């Protein structure tokens, strides 16, 4: 049984949600009176059942696909930023050790990724990857996390992502509500959207593709040598 307040799945015999402490509706209470507004069709009963149980915790597989889509977009942003920096300062690497350059590059990537997740989850409750898949980040009461909670959630991404999101995956796999460390710290959940309009999903897919295409094209214009394939002579 899913909690109607926070959407976390509880055992069927529970009377209170183990996360938020709200009372759970009894699965045995069914109004059988002829004047009850209970839907008579199978589709109507299914729709009413979805409304009754509230939001559903997102599956880890969906979250992984959303992570891959977001990583592809972030990689495109990093590519065009690197091309812009190197095209303006072609000798920026001179006089610096490889370790220093690697540390600065890694720091830049982390900043770009943090801003990407922070702004989108804080303002919209979902990144483009999550929007395409149909999941979103929400607080316990179902509201958007806001910039404060989104900042905390994504600051912990540094820990959850070590190594290759193994820590975050294991914590979410064995925790109720499928929450990673960042979710526990920020008080958030990743939930499935009850209904995702087709137009909204198409728009997000278009923005995702347009953003990646524009970034790759910009990198090609700034540093065309990166895209030249070696030709055997």
């Amino acid at each position: 049984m899913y909690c109607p307040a926070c959407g976390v799945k509880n055992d069927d015999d529970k009377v209170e949600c183990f996360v938020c402490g709200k009372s759970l509706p009894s699965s045995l209470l069914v109004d059988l009176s002829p004047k009850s507004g209970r839907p008579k069709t199978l589709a109507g009963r299914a729709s009413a059942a979805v409304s009754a149980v509230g939001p559903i915790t997102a599956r880890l597989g969906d979250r992984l696909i959303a992570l891959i889509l977001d990583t592809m977009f972030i990689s495109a942003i990093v590519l065009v930023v690197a091309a812009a920096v190197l095209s303006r300062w072609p000798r920026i690497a001179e006089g610096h050790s490889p370790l220093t350059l690697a540390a600065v590059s890694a720091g830049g990537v982390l900043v770009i990724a943090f801003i990407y997740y922070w702004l989108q989850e804080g303002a919209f409750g979902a990144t483009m990857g999550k929007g395409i898949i149909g999941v979103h980040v929400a607080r316990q009461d179902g509201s958007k996390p806001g910039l404060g909670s989104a900042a905390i959630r994504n600051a912990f991404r540094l820990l959850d992502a070590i190594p290759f999101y193994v820590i975050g995956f294991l914590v979410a796999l064995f925790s109720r509500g499928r929450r990673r460390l960042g979710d526990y710290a920020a008080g958030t959940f990743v939930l499935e959207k009850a209904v995702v309009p087709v137009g909204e999903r198409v728009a997000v897919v278009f923005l995702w593709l347009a953003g990646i295409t524009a970034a790759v094209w910009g990198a090609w214009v700034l540093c065309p040598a990166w895209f030249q394939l070696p030709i055997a002579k």
Side-chain angles (χ1 to χ4, degrees):
M1 178 183 298
Y2 292 92
C3 174
C6 65
V8 176
K9 186 176 181 181
N10 292 262
D11 296 334
D12 293 337
D13 57 345
K14 300 296 183 182
V15 296
E16 292 184 352
C17 177
F18 72 93
V19 173
C20 65
K22 301 290 185 180
S23 298
L24 298 174
S26 175
S27 58
L28 301 177
L29 297 179
V30 180
D31 187 0
L32 299 178
S33 63
K35 294 184 179 180
S36 68
R38 186 183 181 192
K40 295 181 175 58
T41 64
L42 180 60
R45 289 196 294 270
S47 177
V50 172
S51 300
V53 300
I56 300 175
T57 304
R59 294 172 293 185
L60 293 180
D62 290 341
R63 294 172 64 174
L64 176 60
I65 297 175
L67 174 64
I68 294 174
L69 295 175
D70 287 327
T71 301
M72 293 174 64
F73 196 92
I74 292 172
S75 299
I77 297 175
V78 171
L79 180 67
V80 71
V81 169
V85 172
L86 293 179
S87 64
R88 187 162 184 174
W89 296 291
R91 298 182 179 180
I92 192 172
E94 295 182 3
H96 298 86
S97 66
L99 182 60
T100 301
L101 294 175
V104 172
S105 300
V109 172
L110 291 177
V111 170
I112 292 174
F114 176 82
I115 294 175
Y116 173 86
Y117 282 104
W118 170 52
L119 292 180
Q120 293 190 60
E121 291 183 354
F124 308 108
T127 58
M128 281 189 285
K130 290 182 175 67
I132 294 173
I133 299 302
V135 300
H136 69 288
V137 181
R139 292 177 178 172
Q140 184 172 309
D141 58 0
S143 62
K144 295 178 182 178
L147 294 178
S149 296
I152 296 174
R153 183 178 192 271
N154 289 290
F156 272 81
R157 194 178 292 274
L158 291 173
L159 182 58
D160 283 315
I162 299 175
F164 303 105
Y165 277 93
V166 171
I167 293 180
F169 174 78
L170 292 177
V171 173
L173 180 64
F174 294 104
S175 65
R176 292 191 175 185
R178 298 169 186 160
R179 305 168 74 191
R180 61 177 179 83
L181 295 177
D183 290 313
Y184 281 106
T188 57
F189 298 83
V190 181
L191 307 174
E192 293 184 9
K193 287 188 176 181
V195 178
V196 181
V198 176
E200 177 182 322
R201 180 166 289 179
V202 170
V204 177
V205 171
F206 174 79
L207 289 175
W208 182 82
L209 288 173
I212 292 180
T213 302
V216 173
W217 178 82
W220 178 77
V221 171
L222 294 170
C223 290
W226 290 359
F227 298 86
Q228 293 179 356
L229 297 177
I231 301 176
K233 296 182 179 181

